Amino acid sequence: MDKMSECEIVKDLAIPYTEGLINPKSKEFVDVHLSTCNNCMKYYKDIKSDIFKEKYNEVQEDKIVINQFSKINKKINILKICLISIMIIVLIIASLLFAKYQKNNNVINRSYNQIESMKELNNYKLTVKTIQNNFDTNDQMNYEEVYYYKDGKYKIESDNSIKFYEDNSYEKICVYHDLKQIDYYKQDFIEMTKGDLIGIFSCVLNYKEMSSTVYNLALTIREERYNGIDCYVIRFGDKNSYTDTWINKASFIPVRVVNEVYSDFYREEIYTFQENVVNDLDVDKEILNSEQYKDYRKNEIDNNFKERTNSNKDLQYLFK
Ligand SMILES: [Zn+2]
């Protein structure tokens, strides 16, 4: 074999040799030739570095693909965490809102049921103290009314007047101390039926309507002491005004309603409710025949609704 054809054979074997895919005898032949032929040796070195580069590039490409996958994986994980966090936050908010809804509903329902049951009572006294300030005109009012109810008879007493009613009666009596006058009314409509007085707690009756709807969430309830009584305070308000209804935590009877229009108007009603403290004399109109009232002028008044209005009987509530 001449030198030239040996070189060609050695060059042909370059790739299998470099990758170690050559039998020992051929390897020995190549090694011997390379040790004597610089030309082939250079060729082998070039091949080696080409293969190395190729492999290196392959590895790099693999690395890039792996990197891209792991980046996508990371993004998916971040997305998952975000979604789960959002779901947890939504769940927390929803359960807080639901807890608020339940609490509002519970307090208002219990108070409403208490008031409804009070309408059936036959003996009670209700004192209503009113404080009213009008900041515009600087008017201040401060007065007290006492409502007595026993077995169908009412007496409503204030500083200046006394009124007597009976359930389902067509009569009422109004006494005016400043005028020294007693008006005996005969009317063609019934002014009072049993339980009407308890309507003074209309604050809670209105909330009852709201509490089972989404408006429930417009109400807030806090707990506070008033006059030594632990109370729930239901607030309905905005930045201009509020109404606070104070409800005795133990009895669920309202004890106070405060209504304020900021820097304009303030009104407060304080309720004291007592059961079984009224005696027959408290609601007896016979007292008007006593010595105390002998100077009072007595008028009989026909208060006939139909004659005065000629209109629908349903409008009677206007004159209550
Ligand atoms: Zn050679």
Side-chain angles (χ1 to χ4, degrees), residues 34 36 55 59 70 86 103 105 111 116 147 153 204 209 234 262:
L34 288 180
T36 59
K55 289 228 157 134
V59 169
S70 72
I86 289 170
K103 187 182 181 183
N105 218 340
S111 184
E116 282 299 302
Y147 299 76
K153 290 181 176 176
V204 172
E209 300 288 311
I234 306 171
Y262 292 118

mmCIF file of all heavy atoms in Angstrom, residues 34 36 55 59 70 86 103 105 111 116 147 153 204 209 234 262:
data_model
loop_
_atom_site.group_PDB
_atom_site.id
_atom_site.type_symbol
_atom_site.label_atom_id
_atom_site.label_comp_id
_atom_site.label_asym_id
_atom_site.label_seq_id
_atom_site.Cartn_x
_atom_site.Cartn_y
_atom_site.Cartn_z
ATOM 1 N N LEU A 34 -0.919 7.614 12.226
ATOM 2 C CA LEU A 34 -1.002 8.996 12.721
ATOM 3 C C LEU A 34 0.323 9.448 13.324
ATOM 4 O O LEU A 34 0.707 10.618 13.226
ATOM 5 C CB LEU A 34 -2.107 9.117 13.786
ATOM 6 C CG LEU A 34 -3.552 9.043 13.261
ATOM 7 C CD1 LEU A 34 -4.518 9.176 14.434
ATOM 8 C CD2 LEU A 34 -3.808 10.125 12.222
ATOM 9 N N THR A 36 3.067 8.936 12.279
ATOM 10 C CA THR A 36 4.061 9.273 11.263
ATOM 11 C C THR A 36 3.554 10.290 10.252
ATOM 12 O O THR A 36 4.315 10.803 9.464
ATOM 13 C CB THR A 36 4.498 8.018 10.481
ATOM 14 O OG1 THR A 36 3.334 7.463 9.878
ATOM 15 C CG2 THR A 36 5.166 6.987 11.393
ATOM 16 N N LYS A 55 -21.760 17.804 19.183
ATOM 17 C CA LYS A 55 -22.360 17.244 20.396
ATOM 18 C C LYS A 55 -22.731 18.350 21.366
ATOM 19 O O LYS A 55 -23.809 18.381 21.948
ATOM 20 C CB LYS A 55 -21.358 16.277 21.075
ATOM 21 C CG LYS A 55 -21.178 15.015 20.289
ATOM 22 C CD LYS A 55 -21.277 13.804 21.183
ATOM 23 C CE LYS A 55 -21.664 12.609 20.335
ATOM 24 N NZ LYS A 55 -20.866 11.427 20.616
ATOM 25 N N VAL A 59 -26.319 19.237 22.927
ATOM 26 C CA VAL A 59 -26.589 19.350 24.363
ATOM 27 C C VAL A 59 -27.219 20.712 24.678
ATOM 28 O O VAL A 59 -28.196 20.813 25.403
ATOM 29 C CB VAL A 59 -25.296 19.141 25.183
ATOM 30 C CG1 VAL A 59 -25.515 19.513 26.639
ATOM 31 C CG2 VAL A 59 -24.865 17.699 25.066
ATOM 32 N N SER A 70 -39.331 24.151 31.602
ATOM 33 C CA SER A 70 -39.409 24.451 33.034
ATOM 34 C C SER A 70 -39.951 25.862 33.255
ATOM 35 O O SER A 70 -40.648 26.119 34.222
ATOM 36 C CB SER A 70 -38.063 24.247 33.721
ATOM 37 O OG SER A 70 -37.191 25.265 33.340
ATOM 38 N N ILE A 86 -57.010 33.565 44.821
ATOM 39 C CA ILE A 86 -58.235 34.325 44.521
ATOM 40 C C ILE A 86 -59.445 33.579 45.048
ATOM 41 O O ILE A 86 -60.330 34.160 45.684
ATOM 42 C CB ILE A 86 -58.355 34.580 43.001
ATOM 43 C CG1 ILE A 86 -57.298 35.595 42.567
ATOM 44 C CG2 ILE A 86 -59.752 35.097 42.644
ATOM 45 C CD1 ILE A 86 -57.162 35.752 41.076
ATOM 46 N N LYS A 103 -76.130 37.178 61.074
ATOM 47 C CA LYS A 103 -76.211 37.870 62.362
ATOM 48 C C LYS A 103 -77.298 38.942 62.307
ATOM 49 O O LYS A 103 -78.129 39.039 63.214
ATOM 50 C CB LYS A 103 -74.860 38.489 62.721
ATOM 51 C CG LYS A 103 -74.886 39.068 64.121
ATOM 52 C CD LYS A 103 -73.604 39.738 64.535
ATOM 53 C CE LYS A 103 -73.788 40.256 65.972
ATOM 54 N NZ LYS A 103 -72.637 40.987 66.458
ATOM 55 N N ASN A 105 -79.836 39.143 60.317
ATOM 56 C CA ASN A 105 -81.137 38.481 60.206
ATOM 57 C C ASN A 105 -81.591 37.947 61.565
ATOM 58 O O ASN A 105 -82.741 38.110 61.969
ATOM 59 C CB ASN A 105 -80.995 37.324 59.218
ATOM 60 C CG ASN A 105 -82.233 37.191 58.377
ATOM 61 O OD1 ASN A 105 -83.300 37.680 58.752
ATOM 62 N ND2 ASN A 105 -82.120 36.537 57.254
ATOM 63 N N SER A 111 -85.850 40.272 67.545
ATOM 64 C CA SER A 111 -86.498 41.474 68.055
ATOM 65 C C SER A 111 -87.919 41.595 67.472
ATOM 66 O O SER A 111 -88.865 41.911 68.188
ATOM 67 C CB SER A 111 -85.672 42.706 67.692
ATOM 68 O OG SER A 111 -86.243 43.846 68.267
ATOM 69 N N GLU A 116 -93.784 41.368 68.083
ATOM 70 C CA GLU A 116 -95.064 40.764 67.681
ATOM 71 C C GLU A 116 -95.752 40.122 68.883
ATOM 72 O O GLU A 116 -96.968 40.248 69.054
ATOM 73 C CB GLU A 116 -94.827 39.710 66.592
ATOM 74 C CG GLU A 116 -94.591 40.293 65.209
ATOM 75 C CD GLU A 116 -95.764 41.118 64.692
ATOM 76 O OE1 GLU A 116 -96.884 40.573 64.601
ATOM 77 O OE2 GLU A 116 -95.568 42.321 64.412
ATOM 78 N N TYR A 147 -97.359 55.687 77.975
ATOM 79 C CA TYR A 147 -98.474 54.908 77.426
ATOM 80 C C TYR A 147 -98.837 53.813 78.423
ATOM 81 O O TYR A 147 -97.984 53.018 78.809
ATOM 82 C CB TYR A 147 -98.060 54.245 76.107
ATOM 83 C CG TYR A 147 -97.664 55.208 75.018
ATOM 84 C CD1 TYR A 147 -96.422 55.849 75.045
ATOM 85 C CD2 TYR A 147 -98.514 55.467 73.953
ATOM 86 C CE1 TYR A 147 -96.053 56.729 74.039
ATOM 87 C CE2 TYR A 147 -98.149 56.349 72.939
ATOM 88 C CZ TYR A 147 -96.918 56.964 72.999
ATOM 89 O OH TYR A 147 -96.556 57.836 72.002
ATOM 90 N N LYS A 153 -107.936 49.036 77.503
ATOM 91 C CA LYS A 153 -108.030 50.479 77.755
ATOM 92 C C LYS A 153 -106.645 51.119 77.708
ATOM 93 O O LYS A 153 -105.676 50.555 78.198
ATOM 94 C CB LYS A 153 -108.646 50.733 79.138
ATOM 95 C CG LYS A 153 -110.117 50.373 79.227
ATOM 96 C CD LYS A 153 -110.618 50.678 80.626
ATOM 97 C CE LYS A 153 -112.122 50.422 80.728
ATOM 98 N NZ LYS A 153 -112.592 50.615 82.105
ATOM 99 N N VAL A 204 -87.944 48.580 64.072
ATOM 100 C CA VAL A 204 -87.555 47.181 63.893
ATOM 101 C C VAL A 204 -88.445 46.508 62.845
ATOM 102 O O VAL A 204 -87.986 45.689 62.051
ATOM 103 C CB VAL A 204 -87.618 46.413 65.228
ATOM 104 C CG1 VAL A 204 -87.403 44.931 65.002
ATOM 105 C CG2 VAL A 204 -86.588 46.964 66.194
ATOM 106 N N GLU A 209 -88.393 43.858 57.054
ATOM 107 C CA GLU A 209 -88.579 43.791 55.598
ATOM 108 C C GLU A 209 -87.232 43.711 54.882
ATOM 109 O O GLU A 209 -87.060 42.970 53.935
ATOM 110 C CB GLU A 209 -89.308 45.045 55.090
ATOM 111 C CG GLU A 209 -90.684 45.258 55.695
ATOM 112 C CD GLU A 209 -91.692 44.244 55.171
ATOM 113 O OE1 GLU A 209 -91.743 44.073 53.941
ATOM 114 O OE2 GLU A 209 -92.392 43.644 56.008
ATOM 115 N N ILE A 234 -78.243 48.495 65.777
ATOM 116 C CA ILE A 234 -78.384 48.309 64.326
ATOM 117 C C ILE A 234 -78.261 49.671 63.673
ATOM 118 O O ILE A 234 -79.014 50.584 64.001
ATOM 119 C CB ILE A 234 -79.759 47.717 63.966
ATOM 120 C CG1 ILE A 234 -80.018 46.426 64.744
ATOM 121 C CG2 ILE A 234 -79.867 47.467 62.466
ATOM 122 C CD1 ILE A 234 -81.438 45.919 64.581
ATOM 123 N N TYR A 262 -76.431 64.739 59.783
ATOM 124 C CA TYR A 262 -75.279 65.466 60.312
ATOM 125 C C TYR A 262 -75.399 66.977 60.125
ATOM 126 O O TYR A 262 -75.772 67.446 59.055
ATOM 127 C CB TYR A 262 -73.983 64.967 59.655
ATOM 128 C CG TYR A 262 -73.640 63.542 60.067
ATOM 129 C CD1 TYR A 262 -73.577 62.526 59.113
ATOM 130 C CD2 TYR A 262 -73.408 63.213 61.389
ATOM 131 C CE1 TYR A 262 -73.272 61.226 59.479
ATOM 132 C CE2 TYR A 262 -73.107 61.913 61.766
ATOM 133 C CZ TYR A 262 -73.039 60.933 60.821
ATOM 134 O OH TYR A 262 -72.746 59.638 61.182
#
